[in-house]
Amino acid sequence: MLLLDDSLKERMDAYRVLLLWQKDGSFIKESGLSPFAMELALGVCRRHLYLQYFLKTLVKKMPSLEVATVLEMGIFQMFFMEIPDHAAVSTSVELVKAANLGEGSARLVNAVLHSARRSGLPALPQQRVRRVSIESSVPEWLVRRWFDIYGGDRAESLAKATLERPVEWIRVNLQKTSAPVLAQKLGLTGASILYDRYIQVPEDAKLKPILESESFAKGEFSMQNPSAYEVVKLLDLKPGQRVWDACAAPGGKSALMGEMDSSLDILASDVSAFRVEKMHDVVDRLGLKNVRLECIDVLALDPSTPRFQRFAQDDTHSSKFDRILLDVPCSNMGVMPRRPESKYRITQDSMKELAELQYGILESASNHLAEGGVLVYATCSPDPLETTQVVNRFLKAHPEFAKRGEHVLPGAQDNRFDGFFAQALERKKV
């Protein structure tokens, strides 16, 4: 058995995760990689189309997926990480050998990476859509869609933003501590604090020791982008209300609401029993007594059945909810820096299917909102097909609902925020 040093082991871990992503569509963020391996894997994923384009200028015939992945990793280290060229080349050759890809592949990787170092970055196509697609590693059909919706300059800005490392934020559990106290505990004194609840993690700070801290284990904080707070604010929560977070996993917004007001009666549900089980860890760690968890398929609910009768306070009280949050499954288009795999996963057909799913969830969940209640429809995508078009279709079919204020797009106001869309809807009183 070949024993790997730490440097090669981290590259091997990144290599395996990248292969799994390309073969099975696995999410890289959920792989448990070390910080270096995670930066390498996510970086290669973010720039995958560009790295392929670069590689095609260096070889007459594209090598196997395995060898191409090693080459992409090598090129990325040489041109987009602070790794010396000789180290990027030698570790890539060693990685080929450790992965048992053959001596011929090792020679090929060595030759191609030396050629890349000599040639430098390749020239890009003149045609703007094609250039933006390659430069930012966004599929060409999606870039063209953004050009049509937002115009060229905004589309190009959106595409470039997918390459950025996202800003990390700590959400402080104000039931247990305060932002200034926690920042001092974690060695983040002087870090930007937002809404008295969110601490911006400095770019040079290491996340691993933060997440391994006693404060995290004691439930004093979670990791969450402040865009979630902008979405939850639209619910206009009042003490003692019954709240249903119907697509709750991984549980961040339910936990936020539970921390904001311990008098709220919150049901957090998801269609996936596995994801609901993982939410138990979150709720238990944070010590939230007012958040109940359940596996519920919103689409399977019968509007004529009092599914939530047990939430009624007495025989005459409605079993419906005062507030409903629907953070529906979406294309992840607004969180591509955080979920770079989503760039390559989306298709025009899948977006249409998602829009139908989103509409179905909205229509089904709306049956369980009390008169005068507020439902917030949210997606981590700003695309009109998943947002305004779904809302407008729903309102046309359901005149008993009306918009409550304007929709919000937190990422459009602050580039540190995820690209969420949220619209509050109110059920009219009869």
Side-chain angles (χ1 to χ4, degrees):
M1 179 180 172
L2 182 63
L3 295 177
L4 308 179
D5 63 28
D6 290 344
S7 172
L8 188 56
K9 182 181 183 304
E10 288 185 307
R11 286 170 171 83
M12 176 63 81
D13 290 342
Y15 164 76
R16 286 173 177 153
V17 166
L18 283 165
L19 282 183
L20 280 174
W21 157 58
Q22 292 178 87
K23 291 178 178 179
D24 305 328
S26 303
F27 278 119
I28 292 169
K29 269 279 192 181
E30 296 172 359
S31 59
L33 293 175
S34 70
F36 173 83
M38 184 66 74
E39 182 183 358
L40 178 55
L42 286 175
V44 170
C45 182
R46 286 190 187 109
R47 295 185 182 269
H48 177 55
L49 296 185
Y50 179 83
L51 295 170
Q52 281 192 324
Y53 176 82
F54 193 165
L55 186 52
K56 286 174 183 175
T57 68
L58 301 169
V59 296
K60 293 180 180 178
K61 179 185 176 184
M62 283 294 282
S64 68
L65 174 63
E66 290 76 11
V67 174
T69 299
V70 174
L71 284 166
E72 285 187 41
M73 291 170 62
I75 293 170
F76 181 78
Q77 290 172 79
M78 291 169 69
F79 291 93
F80 300 104
M81 292 181 77
E82 295 179 357
I83 304 291
D85 288 353
H86 68 86
V89 174
S90 62
T91 55
S92 296
V93 172
E94 290 304 310
L95 180 57
V96 170
K97 294 176 181 177
N100 296 316
L101 299 180
E103 283 297 326
S105 295
R107 288 193 295 272
L108 175 65
V109 165
N110 184 62
V112 170
L113 292 181
H114 278 294
S115 178
R117 184 170 59 176
R118 288 191 300 270
S119 68
L121 298 174
L124 293 167
Q126 293 293 311
Q127 203 278 330
R128 192 179 183 189
V129 171
R130 178 75 176 138
R131 174 180 61 77
V132 171
S133 170
I134 292 170
E135 190 173 36
S136 300
S137 287
V138 177
E140 194 169 337
W141 75 267
L142 187 50
V143 173
R144 194 170 298 281
R145 178 176 178 80
W146 289 350
F147 267 68
D148 291 342
I149 294 171
Y150 306 112
D153 292 346
R154 175 67 177 148
E156 189 162 353
S157 175
L158 285 170
K160 285 181 179 177
T162 69
L163 300 176
E164 300 297 323
R165 291 173 62 182
V167 176
E168 298 292 350
W169 292 85
I170 287 168
R171 187 192 75 235
V172 184
N173 183 353
L174 296 183
Q175 292 186 11
K176 296 194 173 188
T177 186
S178 69
V181 168
L182 181 64
Q184 187 172 23
K185 271 189 188 180
L186 298 176
L188 303 176
T189 306
S192 175
I193 295 175
L194 200 60
Y195 310 137
D196 295 324
R197 185 182 292 273
Y198 287 89
I199 304 170
Q200 182 176 341
V201 180
E203 196 173 330
D204 59 352
K206 303 295 185 186
L207 274 181
K208 192 168 186 283
I210 291 174
L211 292 172
E212 291 177 349
S213 67
E214 184 183 3
S215 291
F216 183 78
K218 290 166 63 177
E220 293 180 358
F221 73 90
S222 301
M223 304 302 296
Q224 185 183 59
N225 192 274
S227 59
Y229 186 67
E230 294 291 332
V231 171
V232 167
K233 277 198 300 186
L234 292 185
L235 286 166
D236 190 23
L237 296 166
K238 308 295 184 191
Q241 287 182 327
R242 288 184 305 272
V243 183
W244 181 25
D245 186 355
C247 305
K253 294 183 185 66
S254 293
L256 169 60
M257 292 187 286
E259 292 170 5
M260 288 169 66
D261 187 344
S262 60
S263 76
L264 296 171
D265 184 3
I266 301 168
L267 171 64
S269 70
D270 197 84
V271 68
S272 165
F274 174 73
R275 301 187 82 198
V276 170
E277 188 59 37
K278 291 182 77 173
M279 284 198 290
H280 278 283
D281 295 337
V282 175
V283 170
D284 292 345
R285 182 178 63 81
L286 297 172
L288 299 173
K289 306 298 184 186
N290 59 332
V291 179
R292 285 174 280 180
L293 304 172
E294 191 168 343
C295 183
I296 297 172
D297 182 353
V298 179
L299 293 174
L301 293 177
D302 183 347
S304 63
T305 301
R307 175 68 174 77
F308 302 111
Q309 189 63 46
R310 65 188 179 283
F311 285 88
Q313 294 170 0
D314 53 56
D315 292 339
T316 60
H317 200 287
S318 170
S319 62
K320 295 190 174 182
F321 291 92
D322 304 300
R323 298 290 188 264
I324 295 177
L325 174 60
L326 288 182
D327 184 1
V328 295
C330 71
S331 65
N332 287 317
M333 209 177 288
V335 289
M336 283 181 176
R338 204 174 300 284
R339 294 280 195 180
E341 307 94 335
S342 58
K343 290 198 282 190
Y344 317 109
R345 189 186 299 252
I346 309 168
T347 66
Q348 296 180 68
D349 287 341
S350 71
M351 284 190 66
K352 291 174 184 175
E353 290 169 5
L354 275 170
E356 286 302 314
L357 173 64
Q358 291 157 352
Y359 181 80
I361 291 173
L362 173 56
E363 193 164 51
S364 180
S366 68
N367 291 309
H368 302 279
L369 185 69
E371 286 185 10
V374 176
L375 181 153
V376 170
Y377 173 85
T379 70
C380 51
S381 166
D383 193 281
L385 187 63
E386 302 180 79
T387 58
T388 51
Q389 290 179 27
V390 172
V391 169
N392 292 339
R393 178 185 169 191
F394 175 78
L395 291 174
K396 188 175 180 180
H398 295 273
E400 71 274 21
F401 280 84
K403 288 182 182 178
R404 194 176 197 252
E406 296 300 314
H407 68 254
V408 297
L409 291 163
Q413 277 72 54
D414 190 326
N415 61 13
R416 298 174 300 170
F417 287 10
D418 288 341
F420 267 85
F421 164 96
Q423 173 70 63
L425 304 172
E426 187 168 13
R427 190 180 202 113
K428 301 173 187 175
K429 292 182 179 179
V430 178

